[in-house]
């Protein structure tokens, strides 16, 4: 009875903590280095976990034998997602990017409706519009955060928000591609190859475009902790909850993360107390996402016909 609440609370806390740590790191390190480092250490941790279970090894080898699918998934789910969100965090802060990534169900619905023939309802369309308005309003209305991982200026705000949206959209597309290309394999068996491909892409970009010489050993250690102790467990918990409760329930948990981030930033003195406008925009975003992920009851007319 307590397994699902325990897993849910652990996922929310790990997600919020990982965004706070990432926001602090991108204030001291290039965002591409943070993206590559957290993906690389998560790859090492996930590979170790997968290979410790002999029953998973054949599926791990099957996933690794499909370089085209692995490269595409690494590009969408790790290079696109982490590059966009980490660079965006450096521009507008972890709290705002955390809110944008919580729009994942809405963006997934929009991509699915346009490209994958997902069913469209008025409530889901209305929820997507409401959530987008709330997120965009929050990005512009919350003022400049007085903490790490943020910069001011309207153009910086818009640019960071667009990068966050692009990264989240990349991850939404990743979900459909994963289901089509690797859906027959256990997720924990496919993740080592995919995270490995993402690590190679992000690592190459970091080597080409990010200065590495001035990074302190303490920052490298914190980055390794972020990937191995936060990012990798998040993937494990996500897939465990999807198996136990389904993707809609799991996506709904992300609604609490922006509130935890915003209140956490206030509690540690990085941001001021949220005003009523900010709270209303956060609530409207959460309400919109909830309209998208909710499971409507069967209409009464249909129930009578089945009888």
């Amino acid at each position: 009875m307590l397994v699902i609440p325990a897993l849910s609370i652990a996922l929310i806390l790990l997600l919020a903590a990982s965004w706070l740590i990432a926001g602090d790191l991108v204030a001291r390190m290039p965002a591409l280095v943070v993206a590559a480092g957290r993906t690389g250490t998560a790859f090492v941790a996930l590979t170790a976990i997968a290979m410790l279970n002999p029953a998973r090894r054949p599926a791990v080898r099957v996933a690794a034998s499909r370089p085209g699918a692995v490269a595409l998934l690494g590009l969408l789910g790790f290079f696109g997602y982490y590059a966009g969100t980490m660079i965006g965090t450096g521009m507008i802060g972890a709290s705002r990017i955390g809110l944008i990534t919580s729009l994942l169900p809405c963006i997934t619905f929009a991509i699915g409706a346009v490209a994958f023939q997902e069913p469209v309802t008025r409530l889901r369309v209305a929820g997507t519009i409401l959530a987008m308005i709330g997120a965009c309003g929050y990005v512009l209305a919350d003022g400049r955060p007085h903490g790490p991982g943020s910069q001011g200026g309207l153009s910086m705000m818009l640019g960071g928000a667009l990068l966050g949206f692009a990264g989240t959209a990349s991850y939404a597309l990743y979900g459909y591609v994963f289901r089509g290309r690797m859906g027959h394999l256990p997720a924990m068996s496919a993740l080592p190859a995919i995270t490995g491909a993402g690590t190679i892409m992000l690592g190459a970009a970091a080597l080409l475009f990010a200065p590495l010489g001035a990074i302190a050993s303490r920052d490298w250690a914190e980055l390794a902790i972020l990937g191995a102790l936060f990012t990798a467990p998040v993937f494990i918990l996500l897939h465990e909850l999807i198996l136990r409760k389904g993707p809609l329930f799991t996506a709904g948990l992300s609604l609490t993360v922006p509130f935890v981030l915003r209140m956490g930033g206030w509690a540690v003195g990085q941001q001021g107390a949220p005003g009523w406008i900010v709270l209303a925009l956060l609530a409207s975003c959460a309400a919109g996402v909830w309209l998208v992920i909710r499971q409507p009851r069967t209409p009464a007319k249909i129930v009578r016909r089945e009888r």
Side-chain angles (χ1 to χ4, degrees):
M1 292 292 292
L2 297 177
V3 173
I4 299 301
L7 292 175
S8 301
I9 292 170
L11 177 62
I12 292 167
L13 293 177
L14 281 170
L15 279 171
S18 67
W19 279 112
L20 287 173
I21 295 170
D24 183 60
L25 281 170
V26 296
R28 308 193 306 268
M29 305 171 65
L32 281 174
V33 175
V34 176
R38 74 183 301 186
T39 304
T41 48
F43 159 70
V44 172
L46 290 168
T47 301
I49 292 170
M51 297 307 291
L52 285 173
N53 186 347
R56 285 202 185 104
R57 293 174 188 172
V60 171
R61 288 192 289 269
V62 170
S65 69
R66 299 177 179 175
V70 167
L72 179 58
L73 290 166
L75 176 67
L76 293 173
F78 291 89
F79 181 83
Y81 175 64
Y82 278 128
T85 55
M86 289 297 93
I87 296 173
T89 297
M91 297 171 71
I92 65 174
S95 177
R96 291 188 176 98
I97 294 295
L99 179 66
I100 291 170
T101 57
S102 76
L103 295 174
L104 178 63
C106 297
I107 297 174
T108 302
F109 161 68
I111 290 175
V114 172
F116 296 95
Q117 299 175 338
E118 290 284 354
V120 177
T121 66
R122 292 179 180 177
L123 279 179
R124 284 186 168 181
V125 173
T128 299
I129 295 172
L130 179 62
M132 293 293 184
I133 291 173
C136 292
Y138 174 76
V139 167
L140 297 174
D142 196 30
R144 179 180 177 180
H146 301 288
S150 62
Q151 300 177 28
L154 179 60
S155 62
M156 191 69 70
M157 293 293 177
L158 293 176
L162 287 174
L163 282 170
F165 278 118
T168 306
S170 179
Y171 196 78
L173 185 57
Y174 163 86
Y176 286 105
V177 176
F178 182 90
R179 185 175 65 182
R181 302 287 183 93
M182 297 280 190
H184 62 291
L185 296 174
M188 284 303 300
S189 298
L191 278 172
I194 298 169
T195 53
T199 299
I200 292 171
M201 297 175 191
L202 288 165
L207 288 172
L208 288 172
F209 301 111
L212 302 178
I215 300 174
S217 57
R218 171 180 171 272
D219 295 335
W220 286 117
E222 189 174 343
L223 184 55
I225 291 171
L226 171 63
L229 299 185
F230 290 88
T231 305
V234 161
F235 280 117
I236 295 170
L237 289 171
L238 278 170
H239 288 93
E240 184 65 27
L241 282 167
I242 287 171
L243 289 174
R244 290 173 178 264
K245 294 292 290 182
L248 291 178
F249 174 87
T250 307
L253 295 176
S254 65
L255 294 177
T256 62
V257 175
F259 292 90
V260 175
L261 283 172
R262 185 61 180 85
M263 298 306 169
W266 175 32
V268 300
Q270 292 181 356
Q271 296 175 264
W276 288 108
I277 294 177
V278 169
L279 291 175
L281 290 167
L282 281 168
S284 70
C285 183
V289 176
W290 178 250
L291 288 176
V292 173
I293 67 174
R294 66 186 291 272
Q295 293 177 309
R297 296 178 180 177
T298 305
K301 289 183 179 180
I302 295 177
V303 173
R304 284 197 294 268
R305 285 177 184 173
E306 291 177 349
R307 292 178 182 173

